[in-house]
């Protein structure tokens, strides 16, 4: 017996309309009414392991506490809600086929013909139901756009839910586009009509339409959409463009979205409490300072590759009343032209996580620049590893020090695989993934930043600080201020005699939320503002 109600979110007309943010905002609104929620993203591609997908094409890999490498939409879900998500909150077509095929291999289908309907669709439904336990509302986002061949099994599965659990327990919300045509001087509803028609053809009648547009839709346009798409007048919601994504929950509420959802699902809730969101938006509108942060990396042409990082920096800005201007610097260009030509007018320098050798020398140059010129620096994962390499080379005199990821034969492998990891050829399963505890050194700057000694942060890497170099690095002023509880793994480094120089082996950006910014980003922005002289 399924107790939760389920909201399915589909998208039409074109991609990138903000389905992930809309789903996250619906989650925020439901939580603001005191409901317990969960969220899930269904990805239509065939990859079984989204962790191996190229961030250039696909954007960031978001890592959960339980070590799942997931779609970046899960980052939106966590940032907008109180949910802590995991493996079961994201699945791909590839994973569904993989489990159906392995069941078939084990003879579970007893010689039956294995088909898309019912075997694939049943497997999809089983995965959806897995997140409905213990919550009032499960919000399920279907990736892709209605009309894609790939999404069809997902849509068929969600269509069946109305029959399986009853129509008062299921809601279909469709996000569509209502463009303004300057030559006609009006907004156009045809793309929405067509998109809804495609949904209806597969048996899904949307209950609510979120109409992405650049202006408030006038009542007559809403009426026309309602009439042609067969939805209630007050179920046509204007999803207008906003300056900050964090305005979306409040804007949706003003349009009556949450009222309509609880009415259609027939649930009684308390009135929504959106004070925290309103306060956040007031803060965003009142930002008075400005700080410029350089992100020195490889995927600089696609900022979605650093989605959580960008958001965490914005959160850090909000807690310091500051706008944050992000300047993406391609580290290979630093190799050609030198750090000074890109970094001289920058207030803080960040080297993010990454894989592969390309651009490494440029990142090391940027780190050296930050250390010598006393510019606030934050190195994340690969950024921390390279900060250790830079320190070993330029401060400890270990010329040719490197990470063994980039130079297997380096005389000084200051970053290395752990002994047990060596020789593992299959790169698929060797990473340290997910949440690990870390103990901060008493009296260190790190402990002051976090305001406590025991923390937990998320990881995604193979290589580690090589303990054989602990003494020489520490002897030259590298502070190892965060360690695994058994003292074996270095998690945070600081540089002595520098106003603000940190490296962390984990990814703090995955745990930052707009309402509760991560302390590491809050303090990095604060230090960068001080450096600017604000
Ligand atoms: N490539 C490095 C490693 O595997 C760092 C990974 C990262 O930055 N996420 O350890």
């Amino acid at each position: 017996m399924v107790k939760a109600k389920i909201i399915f979110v589909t998208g039409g007309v074109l991609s990138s309309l903000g389905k992930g943010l809309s789903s996250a905002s619906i989650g925020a609104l439901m939580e603001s009414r005191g409901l317990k929620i969960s969220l899930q993203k269904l990805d239509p591609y065939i990859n079984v392991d989204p962790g191996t997908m190229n961030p250039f094409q696909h954007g960031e890999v978001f890592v959960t506490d339980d070590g799942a490498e997931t779609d970046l939409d899960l980052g939106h879900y966590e940032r907008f809600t109180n949910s802590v998500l995991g493996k079961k909150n994201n699945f791909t077509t590839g994973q569904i086929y993989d489990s159906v095929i392995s069941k078939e291999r084990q003879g579970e289908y007893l010689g039956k013909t294995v088909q898309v309907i019912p075997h694939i669709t049943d497997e999809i439904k089983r995965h959806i139901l897995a997140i409905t336990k213990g919550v009032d509302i499960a919000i399920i986002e279907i990736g892709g756009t209605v009309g894609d061949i790939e999404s069809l099994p997902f849509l068929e599965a969600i269509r069946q839910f109305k029959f399986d659990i009853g129509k008062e327990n299921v809601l279909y919300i469709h996000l569509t586009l209502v463009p303004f045509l300057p030559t006609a001087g009006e907004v156009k509803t045809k793309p929405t009509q067509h998109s809804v028609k495609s949904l209806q053809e597969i048996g899904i009648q949307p209950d609510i339409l979120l109409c992405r547009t650049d202006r408030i839709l006038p009542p007559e346009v809403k009426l026309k959409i309602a009439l042609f798409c067969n939805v209630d007048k007050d179920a046509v919601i204007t999803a207008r463009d906003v300056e900050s994504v964090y305005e979306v929950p409040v804007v949706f509420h003003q349009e009556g979205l949450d009222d309509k959802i609880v009415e259609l699902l027939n649930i009684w809730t308390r009135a929504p409490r959106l004070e925290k969101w309103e306060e956040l938006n007031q803060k965003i509108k009142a930002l008075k300072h400005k700080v410029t942060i350089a992100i020195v990396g490889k995927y600089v042409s696609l900022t979605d590759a650093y989605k959580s990082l960008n958001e965490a920096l914005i959160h850090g800005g909000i807690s310091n009343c500051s706008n944050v201007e992000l300047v993406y610097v391609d580290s290979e260009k630093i190799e050609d032209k030198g750090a000074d030509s890109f970094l001289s007018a920058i207030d803080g320098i960040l080297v993010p996580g990454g894989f592969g050798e390309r651009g490494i020398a440029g990142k090391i140059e940027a780190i050296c620049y930050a250390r010598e010129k006393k510019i606030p620096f934050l190195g994340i994962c690969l950024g921390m590893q390279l900060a250790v390499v830079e320190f070993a080379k330029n401060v400890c005199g270990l010329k040719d020090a490197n990470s063994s990821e980039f130079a297997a034969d380096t005389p000084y492998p200051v970053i290395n695989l752990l002994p047990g990891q060596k020789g593992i050829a299959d790169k698929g399963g060797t990473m340290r993934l997910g949440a690990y505890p870390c103990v901060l050194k008493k009296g260190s700057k790190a402990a002051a930043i976090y305001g406590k000694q025991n923390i937990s942060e998320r990881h995604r890497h193979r290589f580690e600080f090589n303990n054989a170099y602990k003494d020489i690095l520490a002897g030259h002023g590298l502070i190892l201020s965060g360690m695994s509880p058994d003292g074996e793994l270095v998690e945070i480094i600081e540089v002595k005699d520098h106003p603000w120089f940190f490296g962390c082996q984990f990814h703090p950006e995955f745990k930052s939320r707009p309402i509760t910014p991560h302390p590491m980003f809050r303090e990095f922005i604060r230090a960068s503002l001080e450096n600017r002289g604000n």
Side-chain angles (χ1 to χ4, degrees):
M1 179 59 192
V2 184
K3 226 183 90 242
K5 310 238 177 192
I6 307 183
I7 298 175
F8 293 108
V9 181
T10 57
V13 186
L14 40 89
S15 61
S16 305
L17 290 181
K19 221 170 345 117
L21 283 169
S22 301
S23 306
S25 301
I26 292 168
L29 287 173
M30 294 299 107
E31 277 190 346
S32 81
R33 290 176 166 259
L35 297 171
K36 201 162 175 340
I37 62 142
S38 188
L39 289 131
Q40 187 181 52
K41 169 90 189 276
L42 278 50
D43 278 313
Y45 43 80
I46 312 289
N47 303 59
V48 177
D49 182 0
T52 58
M53 289 167 78
N54 183 346
F56 259 133
Q57 272 181 23
H58 195 66
E60 148 190 294
V61 174
F62 184 79
V63 181
T64 57
D65 265 355
D66 69 358
E69 299 175 277
T70 69
D71 187 82
L72 57 76
D73 277 321
L74 271 77
H76 295 310
Y77 303 167
E78 284 200 353
R79 284 189 285 276
F80 277 71
T81 68
N82 298 317
S83 57
V84 176
L85 305 170
K87 289 194 169 72
K88 55 184 197 312
N89 300 87
N90 182 205
F91 65 86
T92 69
T93 293
Q95 289 163 0
I96 297 289
Y97 273 85
D98 196 41
S99 61
V100 168
I101 290 169
S102 61
K103 279 185 191 167
E104 189 272 338
R105 296 286 75 200
Q106 286 156 19
E108 274 191 43
Y109 297 111
L110 302 171
K112 282 196 198 112
T113 312
V114 181
Q115 292 176 299
V116 173
I117 306 171
H119 301 101
I120 295 294
T121 47
D122 279 353
E123 191 67 19
I124 294 170
K125 290 201 282 186
R126 210 173 54 75
H127 277 70
I128 291 173
L129 287 173
I131 67 140
T132 60
K133 290 184 192 83
V135 301
D136 302 308
I137 297 197
I139 300 158
I140 316 290
E141 176 191 345
I142 318 297
T145 314
V146 168
D148 298 347
I149 293 177
E150 285 96 341
S151 324
L152 277 173
F154 287 154
L155 294 172
E156 171 57 17
I158 71 167
R159 182 192 71 77
Q160 294 178 10
F161 265 98
K162 210 165 192 164
F163 292 88
D164 294 348
I165 66 171
K167 63 177 190 307
E168 68 289 356
N169 295 321
V170 176
L171 195 71
Y172 301 100
I173 298 184
H174 188 58
L175 174 65
T176 156
L177 178 70
V178 181
F180 176 78
L181 227 60
T183 45
E186 59 181 13
V187 289
K188 290 293 178 190
T189 65
K190 251 306 163 352
T192 296
Q193 295 179 40
H194 280 298
S195 174
V196 170
K197 209 162 268 162
S198 317
L199 260 184
Q200 288 166 337
E201 271 165 22
I202 38 187
I204 296 175
Q205 168 61 52
D207 301 290
I208 293 176
L209 296 176
L210 301 176
C211 303
R212 182 72 193 268
T213 153
D214 66 351
R215 63 206 57 222
I216 298 276
L217 295 180
E220 63 279 9
V221 172
K222 284 189 169 183
L223 195 63
K224 185 174 171 188
I225 295 174
L227 182 66
F228 287 126
C229 297
N230 205 20
V231 301
D232 297 344
K233 287 204 292 300
D234 59 353
V236 180
I237 305 289
T238 301
R240 73 174 158 82
D241 300 346
V242 282
E243 250 169 58
S244 154
V245 293
Y246 301 118
E247 286 177 52
V248 178
V250 178
V251 168
F252 277 179
H253 170 69
Q254 286 160 350
E255 278 283 304
L257 176 62
D258 48 319
D259 274 338
K260 193 67 193 169
I261 291 175
V262 294
E263 175 202 317
L264 290 171
L265 285 175
N266 196 22
I267 23 184
W268 185 90
T269 76
R270 68 165 196 225
R273 289 186 197 148
L274 286 165
E275 297 83 353
K276 280 193 180 145
W277 288 98
E278 281 155 1
E279 219 173 274
L280 174 69
N281 285 309
Q282 278 161 11
K283 275 195 198 159
I284 293 175
K285 292 214 163 76
L287 300 177
K288 53 177 191 280
H289 304 303
K290 193 184 149 191
V291 69
T292 307
I293 303 293
I295 298 185
V296 182
K298 186 163 75 165
Y299 300 117
V300 288
S301 57
L302 177 79
T303 55
D304 258 6
Y306 301 121
K307 190 78 207 159
S308 296
L309 184 61
N310 300 346
E311 292 305 313
L313 287 162
I314 291 171
H315 303 163
I318 295 171
S319 50
N320 286 288
C321 297
S322 180
N323 288 293
V324 180
E325 186 198 359
L326 300 178
V327 179
Y328 299 94
V329 181
D330 181 345
S331 57
E332 279 182 307
K333 296 211 171 117
I334 293 186
E335 290 166 22
D336 297 338
K337 297 195 182 134
D340 200 57
S341 30
F342 297 95
L343 302 175
S344 60
I346 293 291
D347 307 316
I349 297 174
L350 191 147
V351 176
F355 295 83
E357 203 184 346
R358 195 155 61 78
I360 289 298
K363 291 181 190 177
I364 293 179
E365 232 179 294
I367 295 167
C368 180
Y369 189 85
R371 187 178 52 74
E372 289 183 347
K373 299 222 177 296
K374 310 252 189 248
I375 301 169
F377 172 80
L378 178 57
I380 294 178
C381 207
L382 178 64
M384 174 250 186
Q385 298 175 352
L386 296 180
V388 172
V389 170
E390 194 277 330
F391 197 86
K393 271 177 186 285
N394 298 333
V395 180
C396 307
L398 303 176
K399 204 172 153 285
D400 296 329
N402 210 333
S403 160
S404 53
E405 180 177 7
F406 310 120
D409 55 353
T410 167
Y412 309 114
V414 287
I415 302 293
N416 206 355
L417 289 175
L418 293 176
Q421 276 178 301
K422 287 199 178 111
I424 300 173
D426 171 18
K427 287 199 167 173
T430 61
M431 279 212 251
R432 180 144 78 105
L433 279 170
Y436 282 83
C438 167
V439 182
L440 304 179
K441 195 172 174 172
K442 259 202 188 112
S444 65
K445 274 195 197 167
I449 287 174
Y450 277 90
K452 54 184 176 187
Q453 248 194 300
N454 294 301
I455 60 166
S456 165
E457 294 279 8
R458 297 181 189 171
H459 291 248
R460 180 173 184 253
H461 57 99
R462 288 189 189 87
F463 291 81
E464 304 279 355
F465 183 104
N466 184 345
N467 288 338
Y469 293 89
K470 249 184 190 171
D471 291 343
I472 173 157
L473 290 162
H476 283 80
L478 195 77
I479 304 166
L480 312 179
S481 56
M483 302 292 295
S484 58
D486 63 3
E488 285 300 312
L489 302 167
V490 174
E491 307 285 42
I492 303 181
I493 57 130
E494 298 173 24
V495 166
K496 216 164 130 185
D497 303 327
H498 188 290
W500 210 96
F501 189 110
F502 278 91
C504 41
Q505 186 54 80
F506 48 80
H507 289 268
E509 69 271 27
F510 292 139
K511 288 182 73 173
S512 187
R513 294 180 179 194
I515 293 171
T516 48
H518 193 290
M520 214 63 183
F521 288 94
R522 185 191 67 217
E523 293 309 310
F524 175 52
I525 297 292
R526 189 198 304 272
S528 303
L529 272 167
E530 274 164 21
N531 176 38
R532 186 189 180 92
N534 259 309

